[in-house]
Amino acid sequence: MIKAIKIRLKPTNEQEVLMFKSAGCARFAYNWGLSKWEEMNKNGFKPSKVKIRAEFNNTIKKDREFVWLKEVSAQVTQHAFEDLNDAYNNFFKGLSKHPKFKTKKRSRQCFYVRYDAIKFKDGKVNLEKIGKVKYKTNYDTPNLPKYINPKCYFDGKYWYLTLGFEHNENQVELNKDLSVGIDLGVSNLAIVNCLDKPIKNINKSIKIRKVKKKLKRLQRQVSRKYEANKKGKEFVKTKNIIKLEKQIKLIHRKLNNIRLNHIHQATNKIVKLKPYRVVMEDLNISGMMKNKHLSESIQEQKFYEFIRQMKYKCEFNGMEFVAADRLYPSSKICSCCGSKKEDLKLKDRVYVCDKCGLEIDRDKNASINLGAYKIA
Ligand SMILES: [Zn+2]
């Protein structure tokens, strides 16, 4: 089993400069590789990460103009080509769009770290060419000969180190009779068949509403400032605007963190029940996103993230993750007698069975049906 951990780093100013430099070099190598890839393609050569890496090492790295590349670990640029290769592979498989050039604004600032140089000691972690960086974490940080995909990234405020490692903890004993069904929804985040209370939609909480209010206020301020400082038809960024935009960025980060944290708590709660499997609807999220009324709420609730976390936590704990067939009518079936109600409307929040008289919350009914889902 592979365990992945994320560690908050507390670099000194000098270390932080080096980290931003590393991220810059990673971006430079990625973009250089991308244009090289396209050029080779155009000229009828079959591009590959090996060829691109070799050319990079033989030309750019030896060029005195690019001497600054030597300030950072060699892993930084080498791994950028791995990323590029993955991006093309995903594109060829139809999983993602054509690779794009990375910009400082659009792309996450991140870079790979040499795995065999990592050492945890006295509250500091050794990173090649950066040095011993202070860190803060609640995880155990074992010193191992090998880490998987160690990477540093900047989230707009702090730097983090993420890494994975092989881990052979005793497998948790699972409850062989418990199959958890989860119904994701708009008014509540999730209804779980075996939990009494729904998992709330955090976006309706006072905490988030307050933050969002502040965000709206700042956004209004910025657009007013842009209007006021307009020169002819052109918008001008003043110092004040830059300051406000920075604040807005941090608020977005905060919102994201609150939502992420909520999902982690919810999925952890489900894992703690130790079910042998978890069943969820195979949601057509991109289809749902086309619905204007739903799309904002789905985006805010991070359905994708919920499913992603549920999947990997299931895998990590040896539980089965089942995506119920899209055609499975989890809302229309009576969870008591099994009869099907064809005329159930979306506005019917309570399910009333004509056959056995069951009266139950619509989403609860769906979650029970998902829990009882039989794989065809
Ligand atoms: Zn019934």
Side-chain angles (χ1 to χ4, degrees):
M1 208 63 80
I2 291 167
K3 185 168 185 167
I5 60 176
K6 176 170 123 184
I7 297 161
R8 156 99 192 272
L9 298 173
K10 297 165 122 182
T12 62
N13 289 341
E14 288 84 6
Q15 287 169 340
E16 194 170 26
V17 168
L18 280 169
M19 291 167 99
F20 278 117
K21 266 188 189 162
S22 301
C25 289
R27 198 168 52 240
F28 170 79
Y30 185 94
N31 289 341
W32 185 89
L34 179 56
S35 61
K36 192 62 50 195
W37 190 295
E38 291 301 311
E39 184 191 310
M40 287 170 97
N41 225 353
K42 216 172 80 191
N43 298 331
F45 298 105
K46 199 176 179 300
S48 76
K49 71 175 174 200
V50 179
K51 286 184 205 162
I52 285 172
R53 187 190 292 157
E55 183 155 353
F56 185 81
N57 289 342
N58 290 330
T59 58
I60 302 298
K61 276 211 141 172
K62 287 183 180 151
D63 193 330
R64 291 182 79 184
E65 194 192 331
F66 302 109
V67 68
W68 40 270
L69 283 166
K70 294 211 167 64
E71 283 180 61
V72 308
S73 161
Q75 294 290 307
V76 167
T77 48
Q78 301 307 301
H79 263 286
F81 301 128
E82 300 278 345
D83 281 349
L84 180 66
N85 193 55
D86 291 346
Y88 271 106
N89 277 340
N90 285 337
F91 167 64
F92 293 139
K93 282 186 209 148
L95 296 171
S96 60
K97 290 186 184 151
H98 191 277
K100 273 197 287 194
F101 287 103
K102 290 188 191 239
T103 67
K104 205 168 165 183
K105 250 194 169 162
R106 197 177 53 211
S107 329
R108 185 147 95 159
Q109 308 244 34
C110 64
F111 61 92
Y112 279 92
V113 181
R114 190 190 168 102
Y115 69 80
D116 51 0
I118 293 175
K119 277 225 161 55
F120 295 100
K121 205 185 164 193
D122 305 328
K124 287 182 181 171
V125 57
N126 186 56
L127 305 175
E128 190 196 22
K129 293 254 188 170
I130 290 168
K132 295 182 171 63
V133 183
K134 271 200 200 165
Y135 68 92
K136 192 176 131 185
T137 182
N138 296 322
Y139 291 111
D140 284 333
T141 45
N143 280 310
L144 301 169
K146 194 178 159 100
Y147 296 99
I148 300 153
N149 259 351
K151 230 174 160 179
C152 283
Y153 77 88
F154 183 66
D155 79 340
K157 193 169 181 184
Y158 298 129
W159 277 97
Y160 295 89
L161 168 67
T162 57
L163 46 81
F165 51 86
E166 280 290 341
H167 155 95
N168 303 311
E169 214 168 71
N170 287 339
Q171 192 82 84
V172 274
E173 183 106 16
L174 302 179
N175 182 345
K176 288 193 186 69
D177 299 316
L178 184 61
S179 164
V180 165
I182 306 171
D183 185 68
L184 292 183
V186 175
S187 55
N188 285 302
L189 171 60
I191 305 281
V192 181
N193 61 345
C194 57
L195 292 178
D196 292 334
K197 283 188 191 152
I199 294 168
K200 287 196 181 118
N201 178 351
I202 189 84
N203 297 293
K204 292 181 175 173
S205 68
I206 297 171
K207 194 174 172 186
I208 286 236
R209 277 199 204 150
K210 268 191 183 160
V211 180
K212 273 172 98 175
K213 225 176 177 175
K214 195 173 166 194
L215 177 65
K216 283 237 170 77
R217 202 177 60 227
L218 285 171
Q219 281 168 337
R220 272 199 303 271
Q221 267 182 33
V222 165
S223 57
R224 266 204 307 271
K225 287 225 153 60
Y226 267 123
E227 275 308 319
N229 291 300
K230 217 168 159 183
K231 279 194 181 136
K233 273 187 179 172
E234 236 170 277
F235 289 109
V236 187
K237 253 191 214 290
T238 61
K239 262 188 187 160
N240 242 320
I241 291 177
I242 292 169
K243 206 174 120 195
L244 284 169
E245 284 183 337
K246 218 171 173 181
Q247 278 179 7
I248 289 175
K249 239 182 168 173
L250 286 178
I251 290 186
H252 277 301
R253 174 187 174 276
K254 189 173 180 180
L255 280 172
N256 194 37
N257 280 349
I258 297 173
R259 289 170 183 147
L260 265 182
N261 198 20
H262 181 63
I263 295 174
H264 270 297
Q265 281 176 359
T267 49
N268 284 347
K269 199 171 179 179
I270 292 163
V271 166
K272 278 199 186 121
L273 298 166
K274 297 180 187 164
Y276 75 95
R277 70 167 195 177
V278 171
V279 188
M280 294 185 74
E281 259 177 304
D282 184 12
L283 291 177
N284 177 7
I285 296 179
S286 44
M288 289 161 86
M289 292 295 278
K290 284 181 193 133
N291 180 330
K292 256 197 297 187
H293 302 287
L294 283 177
S295 66
E296 195 191 339
S297 145
I298 288 165
Q299 221 165 17
E300 285 188 338
Q301 295 221 72
K302 295 181 163 289
F303 282 179
Y304 266 128
E305 178 61 19
F306 189 101
I307 297 167
R308 187 192 72 84
Q309 284 189 17
M310 210 58 253
K311 269 186 190 161
Y312 89 74
K313 287 182 186 179
C314 278
E315 189 184 351
F316 184 62
N317 289 286
M319 302 163 184
E320 190 186 350
F321 180 90
V322 180
D325 193 276
R326 262 183 210 171
L327 299 173
Y328 178 63
S330 60
S331 304
K332 289 185 177 168
I333 299 171
C334 169
S335 60
C336 179
C337 72
S339 64
K340 197 169 155 193
K341 192 171 182 153
E342 292 292 356
D343 59 345
L344 187 81
K345 305 260 167 17
L346 204 64
K347 66 174 197 316
D348 299 334
R349 297 318 303 168
V350 176
Y351 184 98
V352 182
C353 179
D354 307 326
K355 289 253 167 67
C356 72
L358 174 78
E359 271 186 45
I360 185 172
D361 173 76
R362 172 205 179 91
D363 301 328
K364 187 83 190 177
N365 184 55
S367 73
I368 297 172
N369 285 330
L370 285 166
Y373 180 73
K374 285 193 185 66
I375 299 169

